[in-house]
Amino acid sequence: QVQLVESGGGLVQPGGSLRLACAASQNIFSIYTVGWHRQAPGKQRELVAAIGSHRGTVYYADSVEGRFTISKDNAENTLFLQMNSLQPEDTALYYCAATRTTWREAYWGQGTQVTVSS
């Protein structure tokens, strides 16, 4: 069973930055599609950014394009999400996930809270 543990969330003012990290218990990031999702209160979970397993294709949601950067360190089994120019609408619980098929069948972390507020 793969375990994913997120860290790096917190409270930040609008315009600020945070860097999330997700550590995996096994060396899977080189062969799994990995991504960051978020869920705000009263809203559905949405995919924020992802890295494909085959060609390393990177995806960003329109709402974060140009502000967020996803990266990974396969040797350290760690996935990152650098978030810049944060806005109140970025407030959510952020989850990392890893899958070989679909997100419905992915391994999920427990989430880390990001709150953007003045």
Side-chain angles (χ1 to χ4, degrees):
Q1 182 73 12
V2 175
Q3 292 185 334
L4 302 175
V5 179
E6 302 97 335
S7 61
L11 173 64
V12 64
Q13 292 186 340
S17 299
L18 283 174
R19 189 189 195 206
L20 305 183
C22 173
S25 59
Q26 298 180 29
N27 186 9
I28 63 169
F29 286 165
S30 61
I31 57 174
Y32 278 55
T33 290
V34 293
W36 289 95
H37 298 67
R38 68 185 181 186
Q39 187 166 21
K43 294 186 177 181
Q44 289 188 335
R45 188 177 298 185
E46 63 171 340
L47 176 63
V48 173
I51 302 175
S53 59
H54 296 295
R55 299 182 180 181
T57 303
V58 177
Y59 163 85
Y60 292 103
D62 289 343
S63 57
V64 306
E65 179 85 51
R67 299 188 298 123
F68 290 11
T69 303
I70 188 172
S71 62
K72 62 178 180 172
D73 185 332
N74 291 336
E76 295 296 326
N77 304 324
T78 306
L79 180 69
F80 301 99
L81 185 68
Q82 177 66 43
M83 306 186 295
N84 299 328
S85 301
L86 284 162
Q87 300 301 318
E89 52 266 34
D90 295 316
T91 295
L93 191 59
Y94 283 71
Y95 300 88
C96 73
T99 183
R100 300 201 71 170
T101 55
T102 67
W103 294 119
R104 187 181 297 272
E105 299 177 337
Y107 295 107
W108 291 87
Q110 83 289 347
T112 185
Q113 179 67 39
V114 172
T115 302
V116 185
S117 175
S118 55

